[in-house]
Amino acid sequence: MTAAHLRKPPGTDSTIPAPEEEGTVPRRRQEIMKWNGWGYSDSRFFLNEKDQVKFTGRRYSLSGAIIPGLKGWMESTFGADILHKISPAPALNSSAVQSPILYEAFLVELKSTGIPFSYDAEDRVFRAHGHCLHEIFALREGKIGRVPDIVVWPDCHNNVVKIVELACKHDVCLIPYGGGTNVSRALECPPEETRSIVSLDTSQMNRILWIDEKNLTARVEAGIIGQDLERLLDQRGFCVGHEPDSLEFSSLGGWVATRSSGMKKNIYGNIEDLVVHMKMVTPQGIIEKGFQGPRMSTGPDIHHFIMGSEGTLGVITEVTMKIRPKPEFKKYGSVVFPNFEMGVACLREIARQRCAPASIRLMDNEQFKLGYAMKPQASSVFTSFLNGLKQFYITKFKGFDPTRLCVATLLLEGNREKVLQHERQIYGIAAKFGGLAAGEENGQRGYMLTFFIAYLRDLAMDYYVIAESFETSVPWDRVLDICRNVKACIVQKCKEKGVKFPPFASCRVAQTYDTGACVYFYFGFNYRGLSSPVQVYEQVEHAAREEILANGGSLSHHHGVGKIRKEWMRETVSDVGMGMLKSVKDYVDPNNIFGSRNLL
Amino acid sequence: METGSTVEKVRDEACGILEEMSQNLQLGFIRLMGCTLNKVFKRLFRSIFVNTEGLNRLQQAVQENPVILMPNHRSYIDFLVISYALFIYDIPIPVIAAGIPLAGMKIVGEILRRSGAFFIRRAIGSDKLYWAVLSEYVHTIVRTGYAPVEFYVEGLRSRTLKSLPPKLGMMHMVLEPFFKGEVFDITLVPISISYDRVLEESLLVHELLGVPKPKESTSGLLKASRVLQEDYGTMHVNFGSPLSVRELCEGKINLRQYNLIPRDLPQKPSAEAQACVSWLAHLMVRTQEEGSLISPWSLMACLLLQAPAPVLTEEGLPWHHLTEKTLWLRKLALDFGAHLNWPGQMSDSDVMSSAVALHRSSVHLKGGRVCLIREGEPDKKRPLTPEEGVIRTAAAVLMLASYRNQSIHTFVRPAVLAMALHVTKSTQEEELFSFFCFLQEVFSYEFIFIPSRSSQDFEEACSRLKKCGAVHLSEQEVTASEQGQEVLSFLRELLKPFIDSYQLMFRCLCEERVDMFSEKQFQSALQSAAIKLILSGELHTYEVLSAAMQKNFLSMLRRLEAVTESRVSDHSEYKVNTAVVRKTKDILSGKIPPERRHATPDARL
């Protein structure tokens, strides 16, 4: 999966293992990453001199490619217009950043530990945000709110212990920072926080400490980012198989702290299934289990206080994870269904039979069209001829309505024969629901979409289009209803709020479970003619979340709560549940050192 | 299975229910019906008016969300007219909830079925299987949205031509697909049908006086074909603005309550859901009322009824006096926001005399005086007993009262305030409001008041009375004005039959020596008492003889827990809580003040 879209970082020769202590992410993230957008500085979509969309850089399979359909898609979907362009602020204006609140005594002691730290404006701004629409929007306009006052880079567990001790001693607020990819306002500095805020950047804690081949586990420092973890294990013939869409940049500690979910959870499990042991540094000391048996009956699992704690209890420093031998064979696939209803019925049946492949996702018609628009320029006349032929077969011969059809993308992994047999089984079930096998390339492109969607948002924002994603999990019988109602709610709210162009509201069933599914929504609109687009955006998103909850959807499947969804926590876990969580916080961190104010 | 029967048996039973229930809408059949109705309607009515902008809005609405048509119910032909109008305007014909007795009629049952009617048993009560089949049937129609669903939220045809308090079962059933997220929204379309003259008018009165309703039968219908010879004036069908359930329910019901139990499992609605449904149902009936057209005859009936009955039946009312007052009342009705059906192309006096002509079975105009007609000339050989005479007059009065009821909703809120001013003799807003709420509660089965909207109703009453100059409003005070006496006394007189009747019924209950009584016993005791008092000239209203009013009174007592009901074999017995009855009676007559209420609008409902 990683290999399919992500090339090795430049300067890393694939035959020589990277020096262990040097990860992809440097302390100064600004050296390789954008300060006001997604991902690498060298990788972005832009409109070339022939008005074609092109992707820059050398990192991705799409790098250097022209995507001929994208401009048309943006025009027809959003009413975007190349004449109406709005460019972001070119560089960070350091003077817009408020000067840091510094405690002299704390600084003196911090210096004496030798742990690197900085109060440079750029460093601080980088760690003050995730990737919520309003956060990126503000940065593009050059608006900077409250940011951390100091950034520290511990490079091992012991350094974290020292920092937490100092923070407690001097009553400093700590906010752990992993990959900065959240979409829950989790990194936003609480405006009411008057203490000095220290951003604890874990990115330099990125080593694999040991690999236990007998038990198939690996001890990993929690700051490692997904792509490095898989790359390093790959060199030893293993993998973890945890692939959230953000795995290029998100960190192991972040996965744990948000209860993340991976695309291939059907084989490898979600984060809670993958963690065998972990260590967290809290103001009360270190919390860890004394044993690492595969399962324990020892009261409530203390790991579940840590997983999903969203940086409110401490810093996760080291994690022992399950690892697996690298799969022998991988295959993508896709199935076209005449409509979304049939597609959902098929996924439900696959879940009932418990034969879901590593990944299966069902994209609705809007997302199918987006996937189609993301097709790079056909390399030969023959390919484009073949594509035309396929389209003809599906729409004319099979009578699928191009405005209703939808596509399921598949990823199968494992033993070659078993994969091929599994594939036949899936296509057999799909056929009963009117599904037609539609080839590997469509499947692969479907997964590729998730890596580029955030880059695509940056391009869209250049043309007055704002967008974001949100997700939920819902029982099977509610899947169709929630998809329809949430999309209808978005359309209605946009109209009500005076949005001048029809919004883009699209969804996919991203994960299947025995009793339900994870549904992922994309939502965006052209805000030309609106005086406060972000406010409108947030009102619509709020209404959509209310609609999700009214339709039996959960508050979040894997994005977490952060601050953006806090208001619904009480009804999500009940009063007593809130009390339990609060009492844990009160015991572990009575002085609110970990003061991000997420979750509760 | 709870009943201990096998799955097959239950399935068979469910199939049987479904067969009895389901509609069989056929377009070819509808076309045939269309032609027939065309002829029938032309015969019965001078004209039928339909608001085309309402139909256009409906046409738009049916393309967007499932639509529920909610007409008021005054005549058997209500639903025929609606289906006919939709057919003519090329809007999908609705599927209509009808009472099961209609299904039993030969041929007619089948005709109705093929025109889209489905049939519901009365008093479903505790039959769980029936309930489950019916709700699934209704849900499926709403969910798939292939045809609008039509039902009478009042439950039955109003015998008094007054709106009936809504029934909530069906209302809840059609709303459930929205509550459970199976549809994004549901559109409610209130429909107000207004008749100049109701086909069933004389039938209604006999039912009210205790002559039972004839069982619906085809031969009965054929006999009724003599109605075809008569003139029923015009008819107005007003399709109201489509209302979004999603919008109306926002903040009134938390839909998350449906998250934890499988949605297809029948559940008793929560208190919150019941309150929301009840509020919505009342709102719909109020909207129907506001959308209806008031005929000149209805205004005249209001005024005629304020004259003593002996005057009406014997010497009659001077015509010029009646016409003058009617024109005065027309202005008041317009001030109160009513929609009138007052033809503009005719002179006012022509309008009024043609109304009298249309209702020549009720009144006749002779020598410049209007007299009430009593049915059936007394036989010379066997003169009527005085009691029979009372009943004969009552029939005429109740018919007149029915037509008054067509417009009473326009006046009722200000009238309740006028009564409060009169009884409390107070000007303090708080005191008036408390009595206002008390009257709303006592008359909650007589008039439609939207639950928890007393504050708004009170404000509306104040502002309307202020608008017509009947009261002055100041900080926390409402004072009757000098020139407002005419309005206030008219409004008081309008409510007087209700007040007097209720007082008498309270008295009867208090004097009742027995511990338990059945509805029948109560009615007969009441009837003899009332007749005596009418003959002795102590009671001036005949409306207490109306079975509808007696039923409403008992319902009110049940609600106030002034009586407790218990089932004895096939009927209900009531046990009186004398303390509550006395207290309510004394409050009504102004002897003791009602409990204090504060005019704070309820935030939730």
Side-chain angles (χ1 to χ4, degrees), chain A residues 477 481 484 546-547 571, chain B residues 180-182 246 256 263:
Chain A
D477 73 309
D481 291 331
R484 179 195 56 239
E546 288 281 353
E547 187 64 27
E571 61 179 290
Chain B
K180 294 185 172 178
E182 293 170 328
R246 171 172 276 268
R256 291 162 212 171
R263 290 181 295 171

Side-chain angles (χ1 to χ4, degrees), chain B residues 74 154 158-166 208 282 285-286 289 398 401-402 404-413 416 438-450 494-503 505-506 522 526 541-557 559 588:
Chain B
R74 300 292 173 265
E154 294 167 293
S158 169
R159 270 44 168 185
T160 58
L161 303 189
K162 213 165 42 179
S163 304
L164 300 178
L208 288 178
H282 280 84
V285 179
R286 277 292 294 133
E289 286 185 342
L398 287 185
S402 296
R404 170 205 62 198
N405 287 344
Q406 286 184 323
S407 60
I408 201 161
H409 60 87
T410 305
F411 304 108
V412 71
R413 270 149 279 270
V416 169
F438 167 76
L439 281 182
Q440 282 197 328
E441 206 158 339
V442 169
F443 291 134
S444 58
Y445 291 86
E446 297 292 346
F447 311 110
I448 304 301
F449 300 113
I450 299 174
L494 194 66
L495 274 196
K496 200 152 181 298
F498 296 92
I499 300 270
D500 289 350
S501 302
Y502 272 50
Q503 284 291 13
M505 290 190 278
F506 278 127
F522 172 67
L526 181 68
T541 179
Y542 286 74
E543 292 190 48
V544 71
L545 296 170
S546 154
M549 189 178 277
Q550 295 156 5
K551 276 203 168 66
N552 289 342
F553 179 74
L554 281 178
S555 303
M556 177 271 292
L557 292 181
R559 192 162 117 161
L588 186 62

Side-chain angles (χ1 to χ4, degrees), chain A residues 425-443:
Chain A
Q425 185 190 5
I426 299 291
Y427 288 154
I429 296 172
K432 288 184 190 136
F433 295 90
L436 292 175
E440 286 192 67
E441 196 215 325
N442 277 319

